[in-house]
Amino acid sequence: MSTDMDIQSDAAQLLLQYKAPLYAYIHASVRNRSDADDIFQEVSVAVVESFSKLEAESGFFPWAREIAFRRVLAYYRNYEREKPVNPQLIAVLAEAAERVEQKQPVSTRREKLLECLDRLPEVSRTLIARCYDNSGESLGAIAAQSGLKVTAFYARVHRIRAILRDCIAQRLLEESVE
């Protein structure tokens, strides 16, 4: 029979295992490090408190991500902030990230991402860096400061992400063939 201490230990172990993708999901949803930290703490407490309801450990990440999804929605309801990205889209991205994570360790993908970032033109590298610098600056503000209309800015960022995605896939493929 499992004790409360065993359950809490199992929950903490799984939280540590999935901390990076879970935190990334939350941060991508709220785009503010401080708020993401607060939400991650709330999610962690909720996960530990309701861990006994989890049916199988193999379903931990989708279950924890659903808790995070609900906390992100509550965050927007409570603070009535503009949503930078549709939370449903973030959920789909998180599922895709989980599938990728299971096939390729984060460290290898991160290494390839850094290689691909180095290959980008300076203006593209700077633009992407500003989008993910954790400053809490809205994408609309970044677009305006870059001298771009919001739609043009989103299109450019989308193209840069596609270039990075293709580059990473190509580098991983090359590595797996070697």
Side-chain angles (χ1 to χ4, degrees):
M1 184 168 176
S2 295
T3 67
D4 285 344
M5 191 62 88
D6 291 338
I7 291 171
Q8 290 176 347
S9 176
D10 291 346
Q13 182 179 4
L14 286 168
L15 269 170
L16 283 174
Q17 181 179 345
Y18 289 99
K19 179 181 180 180
L22 192 57
Y23 183 85
Y25 168 75
I26 294 167
H27 186 265
S29 298
V30 299
R31 298 202 33 82
N32 178 296
R33 179 175 290 229
S34 176
D35 291 338
D37 290 345
D38 291 345
I39 293 169
F40 183 78
Q41 290 300 320
E42 292 174 17
V43 169
S44 298
V45 169
V47 163
V48 170
E49 288 177 348
S50 60
F51 188 72
S52 61
K53 297 176 184 173
L54 179 65
E55 294 177 12
E57 285 186 14
S58 62
F60 177 81
F61 184 73
W63 175 74
R65 190 193 64 244
E66 180 65 24
I67 293 171
F69 173 73
R70 292 176 188 281
R71 296 295 168 137
V72 167
L73 289 179
Y75 164 84
Y76 283 116
R77 274 193 305 271
N78 292 338
Y79 296 103
E80 297 179 9
R81 297 181 183 188
E82 181 181 332
K83 297 177 188 174
V85 178
N86 180 329
Q88 294 295 340
L89 175 61
I90 296 296
V92 170
L93 292 173
E95 289 173 15
E98 180 186 12
R99 287 193 301 273
V100 169
E101 176 67 27
Q102 290 172 357
K103 293 179 183 174
Q104 189 70 42
V106 171
S107 59
T108 303
R109 284 194 335 273
R110 180 175 170 78
E111 177 184 308
K112 299 306 177 198
L113 170 61
L114 293 174
E115 290 172 15
C116 293
L117 281 168
D118 285 341
R119 298 178 75 187
L120 285 176
E122 181 65 30
V123 68
S124 296
R125 205 170 34 246
T126 302
L127 190 63
I128 283 293
R130 290 203 54 211
C131 290
Y132 297 99
D133 68 359
N134 296 323
S135 68
E137 193 172 25
S138 76
L139 294 181
I142 296 170
Q145 291 169 4
S146 301
L148 297 169
K149 292 185 178 183
V150 174
T151 53
F153 174 79
Y154 279 113
R156 184 172 291 173
V157 170
H158 178 74
R159 284 192 303 273
I160 295 169
R161 287 178 181 160
I163 290 167
L164 288 171
R165 183 182 56 246
D166 293 345
C167 176
I168 292 166
Q170 181 63 35
R171 292 202 171 252
L172 290 172
L173 180 63
E174 290 169 359
E175 185 178 277
S176 68
V177 171
E178 294 174 356

